[in-house]
Amino acid sequence: MDFLRRLIGTTASALDNPAIPWKSLIITFALGEYALETYLSYRQYQVLQRKHIPAQLKQEIDQKTFDKSQAYGRSKFWFGLVSGAWNQAKSLAVIRYNVYPALWAVTGTWMLQYAPGFLQGEITRSLVFAFSYSFVETALGLPFSYYYHFYLEERYGFNKQTLKLWLTDLVKSQALSLAFGIPLGAAFLAIVQRTGDTFFLYLWFFALAVQLGAITLYPLVIVPLFNKLTPLEPGLLKERVEALAQKLAFPLAELRVIDGSKRSAHSNAYFTGLPWKKTIVLYDTLIAKSS
């Protein structure tokens, strides 16, 4: 432990050097990453312009389905290009114009004027700062989210949610971020405050405990707030999935169906749970569209 403290102290001293142009380095790496991702997306866009079905898929889909899939992919590319450029410009502006320290200062001034004395600590201020920035980010992203669901997805027949449901999901998501984010964020900051230079070791154990708790609570608490889960009805599908799980020694505890059709026509499936007890969840759209 003493060795770790000395190593951390030496590294921190070396990095805490005003001569290092951290802001320029961060902006350079951010632009480099953005350029690489955009180039890879463009490479994929070239594939999405092909008109003929690949030989491997000719027995699986018809020309009409292939053309629709290609057009949908191209539309998502252009949406991603515009939204990605916006997010990149926004991130660079935040760094270039020192938005974080400015917001931190505004948060401190606001709390001194309006918050009661017992909320004047560093942890409370940090939480107010973090959630204020998060809410602004969410608000700035709403136009893109609205366009994606009610124009792009709607155009290709995938969107099934109403404006009311979209807004309800937004409110629920923000409420959950507060309900879970405040106590977890406070615990995170308290660990950093009280454990000194070795805080990362304690945070690792804390993150592990949080992750295990989230895996357990997600299907029981979070999912029912947005969707309805029902047991998969007895039949051939259930029998075959259970047989496959047994063959692969997969610790299957439950098979459930989620009403994903209330939001989208896309098909999906996932599994969740602890290593010794898993739940497989099938989207109702997957069951409806597949043999």
Side-chain angles (χ1 to χ4, degrees):
M1 192 66 71
D2 290 337
F3 170 75
L4 281 176
R5 289 195 179 96
R6 290 195 300 271
L7 179 62
I8 293 169
T10 303
T11 305
S13 299
L15 295 177
D16 190 16
N17 184 350
I20 300 176
W22 288 114
K23 185 183 295 186
S24 298
L25 289 174
I26 292 172
I27 291 176
T28 301
F29 279 114
L31 288 174
E33 180 185 17
Y34 173 70
L36 176 60
E37 291 178 349
T38 303
Y39 169 71
L40 294 175
S41 296
Y42 177 74
R43 289 284 301 271
Q44 180 64 22
Y45 180 75
Q46 301 303 306
V47 176
L48 293 170
Q49 290 183 308
R50 295 175 182 173
K51 305 297 183 182
H52 302 291
I53 303 175
Q56 299 90 336
L57 295 177
K58 283 187 176 180
Q59 302 301 319
E60 307 298 331
I61 60 174
D62 55 31
Q63 188 65 46
K64 182 179 179 180
T65 303
F66 178 76
D67 291 340
K68 181 181 178 181
S69 174
Q70 293 289 88
Y72 177 63
R74 293 194 297 270
S75 294
K76 289 187 68 175
F77 165 81
W78 287 112
F79 173 81
L81 190 68
V82 174
S83 61
W86 161 251
N87 289 327
Q88 186 65 29
K90 181 178 59 178
S91 298
L92 293 178
V94 166
I95 298 171
R96 174 67 178 80
Y97 297 105
N98 301 315
V99 173
Y100 290 130
L103 180 59
W104 177 260
V106 169
T107 301
T109 301
W110 180 86
M111 293 190 66
L112 285 173
Q113 291 180 351
Y114 301 105
F118 68 93
L119 293 178
Q120 295 292 341
E122 182 183 14
I123 290 179
T124 306
R125 181 178 176 181
S126 298
L127 291 174
V128 173
F129 163 80
F131 282 106
S132 297
Y133 184 79
S134 175
F135 290 148
V136 171
E137 279 277 286
T138 300
L140 292 175
L142 287 179
F144 290 96
S145 177
Y146 181 87
Y147 179 88
Y148 178 80
H149 291 291
F150 295 102
Y151 284 88
L152 195 155
E153 292 284 292
E154 188 81 28
R155 177 183 176 186
Y156 292 95
F158 293 127
N159 180 56
K160 301 300 178 182
Q161 64 180 329
T162 62
L163 179 60
K164 179 181 178 181
L165 181 59
W166 180 70
L167 291 172
T168 301
D169 285 349
L170 177 65
V171 173
K172 288 180 180 178
S173 297
Q174 295 304 308
L176 284 172
S177 70
L178 289 173
F180 288 96
I182 290 176
L184 291 177
F188 180 95
L189 294 168
I191 291 172
V192 174
Q193 278 188 342
R194 298 177 183 180
T195 55
D197 292 338
T198 57
F199 69 91
F200 62 93
L201 292 174
Y202 298 93
L203 285 181
W204 188 88
F205 289 109
F206 176 70
L208 178 62
V210 169
Q211 187 173 16
L212 292 176
I215 291 173
T216 304
L217 292 176
Y218 178 75
L220 300 175
V221 178
I222 307 300
V223 174
L225 294 175
F226 297 90
N227 291 92
K228 182 180 180 182
L229 286 169
T230 55
L232 178 63
E233 295 181 358
L236 184 60
L237 176 60
K238 184 176 182 180
E239 292 172 2
R240 288 190 172 182
V241 173
E242 289 176 339
L244 180 61
Q246 185 176 10
K247 178 181 177 181
L248 300 176
F250 183 84
L252 178 62
E254 290 182 292
L255 266 172
R256 292 192 167 193
V257 179
I258 190 170
D259 58 340
S261 58
K262 68 188 292 185
R263 290 182 178 81
S264 174
H266 289 298
S267 300
N268 210 339
Y270 67 90
F271 69 84
T272 184
L274 298 171
W276 55 87
K277 184 180 180 182
K278 301 286 189 181
T279 297
I280 292 179
V281 179
L282 307 174
Y283 278 59
D284 55 354
T285 49
L286 180 65
I287 297 175
K289 292 181 179 180
S290 303
S291 64

